[in-house]
Amino acid sequence: MNEITKNFFKDIGITTGMTVLDMGCGRGVTTELIAELVGENGKVIGLDSNSVSIEKAVANASANNIKNVEYICSDLSDLSLAENTFDAILGRRILVYLPNPKKVIGDLATFLKPNGIFGFQEHDSTTVIDKEKMPLHYKVNNWLWKLVESNGGNIRIGKDLWNIFTQGDISVEHIKSKAIVQTPQNDGSLAPVDQTLSKLLLQNNIVSKPELDDLSLRLETEKKNSNSLFIRELIFFTSARKG
C-alpha cells in the first residue's frame, strides 16, 4: 500500500524541495513517505489531533534518523500557521472519517500557496466478492466496514470527492480509482484480523468471540478453495489545485 501511495504523490507532482502538510498523519507512516520524496531540502509537517499517535510518530522519526519532518498535535480549528505556507497538502484515509470534509478542505486552502496541490487517497467500501463461493470473506469484509462506519466513517466517500474539492478557488485535476484484486494464489487477504481489530470489533458489538476463533485459518482455507477472486475496496486518488 505504501508504494501505491508514493506513486500517487509522485504522479501529482510531489518532488524535492517542497514544503508539505500531511493531514491526519497518525503515527507518521505517510509523513515519512512524503519526507523521502521532498528530500533533505524539503520539509514535511505531520498534523494529527491524537497525542499518542504524534508521540509515536516523533519516536519513529528519531529512530529512523529522519531530519526533515516536524509533528504538530492540534485540531485544525486551533492550528496556528501562516497563510500560503505549503506547496502541497496531502492525506491518506482521513477525509473518510471527517463529519464535514468539504469545510476542512476549504479551511486548509488558506495554508496552501497559490497553484498549490491537494492530494488525498481515500478508501471506499465498494467491493466485488462472490457471496456464494466466499461467504466468510463477504461477512468479514462487512464487519470491517461496519467498524469504520461505527467510528463515523463515510464508507461511500468516493461519490462525494468531486463535490468536496470543487469550491472557491480549488479545482479538481484528477479523480482516479484503483482496485486491489485478490486471488487464491496471492498473499493478500482479509486475514489476519489482528488483535487490535478483534478487540474493536468486539467492543462495538459487531462480532461475538466465537466468530473470531481460528478466523485467519478459515479465511485462508476459503480463499484457496474458492477458485475465485475478490476486491475488498476501491481506492480513490484525488488531486486538486488552488488557483
Side-chain angles (χ1 to χ4, degrees):
M1 190 61 69
N2 287 341
E3 198 63 31
I4 291 172
T5 304
K6 188 188 293 186
N7 288 337
F8 166 52
F9 291 156
K10 284 181 182 177
D11 290 344
I12 64 175
I14 307 306
T15 190
T16 56
M18 282 185 163
T19 301
V20 178
L21 177 67
D22 179 18
M23 177 65 185
C25 65
R27 300 181 181 186
V29 175
T30 305
T31 316
E32 293 187 10
L33 292 180
I34 301 166
E36 184 180 338
L37 293 177
V38 302
E40 61 182 15
N41 293 322
K43 183 176 182 179
V44 188
I45 294 179
L47 174 67
D48 204 287
S49 60
N50 187 309
S51 60
V52 174
S53 294
I54 288 292
E55 287 173 7
K56 290 182 178 178
V58 170
N60 289 340
S62 177
N64 295 325
N65 197 32
I66 299 173
K67 305 292 188 182
N68 60 342
V69 300
E70 176 186 343
Y71 290 102
I72 298 175
C73 184
S74 174
D75 288 319
L76 182 59
S77 58
D78 299 324
L79 189 60
S80 178
L81 289 170
E83 295 183 6
N84 304 323
T85 297
F86 299 103
D87 298 294
I89 297 176
L90 310 176
R92 178 167 75 173
R93 296 195 79 151
I94 179 62
L95 299 180
V96 64
Y97 288 106
L98 300 179
N100 192 345
K102 189 176 179 88
K103 182 180 185 304
V104 168
I105 292 300
D107 291 344
L108 286 171
T110 301
F111 307 116
L112 195 61
K113 295 177 183 178
N115 206 40
I117 300 167
F118 278 113
F120 280 78
Q121 175 183 324
E122 299 295 327
H123 294 229
D124 182 289
S125 63
T126 300
T127 60
V128 178
I129 301 178
D130 189 323
K131 191 176 179 181
E132 301 301 320
K133 290 183 177 180
M134 307 185 82
L136 185 58
H137 280 73
Y138 184 85
K139 180 187 289 187
V140 173
N141 194 62
N142 284 338
W143 290 348
L144 299 178
W145 284 110
K146 282 180 182 177
L147 184 59
V148 173
E149 202 166 28
S150 71
N151 284 279
N154 175 7
I155 66 173
R156 293 288 189 177
I157 196 170
K159 61 181 173 50
D160 298 328
L161 290 169
W162 178 271
N163 178 58
I164 289 169
F165 286 93
T166 303
Q167 56 172 307
D169 58 355
I170 306 166
S171 57
V172 172
E173 292 200 318
H174 302 286
I175 298 181
K176 301 177 181 179
S177 65
K178 185 181 184 70
I180 307 301
V181 179
Q182 311 289 345
T183 72
Q185 286 76 37
N186 67 18
D187 293 332
S189 179
L190 295 171
V193 175
D194 65 22
Q195 187 174 0
T196 301
L197 275 175
S198 296
K199 185 177 179 181
L200 290 171
L201 289 167
L202 290 167
Q203 286 176 345
N204 285 271
N205 297 315
I206 295 169
V207 301
S208 63
K209 196 170 185 309
E211 289 179 291
L212 296 173
D213 290 345
D214 298 320
L215 182 61
S216 296
L217 177 59
R218 289 187 288 126
L219 281 165
E220 189 64 24
T221 301
E222 181 180 85
K223 185 182 73 169
K224 289 179 178 178
N225 293 337
S226 68
N227 198 30
S228 180
L229 62 80
F230 71 97
I231 297 167
R232 61 183 177 184
E233 61 189 358
L234 286 184
I235 307 171
F236 283 86
F237 304 90
T238 304
S239 63
R241 197 172 290 270
K242 178 180 175 180

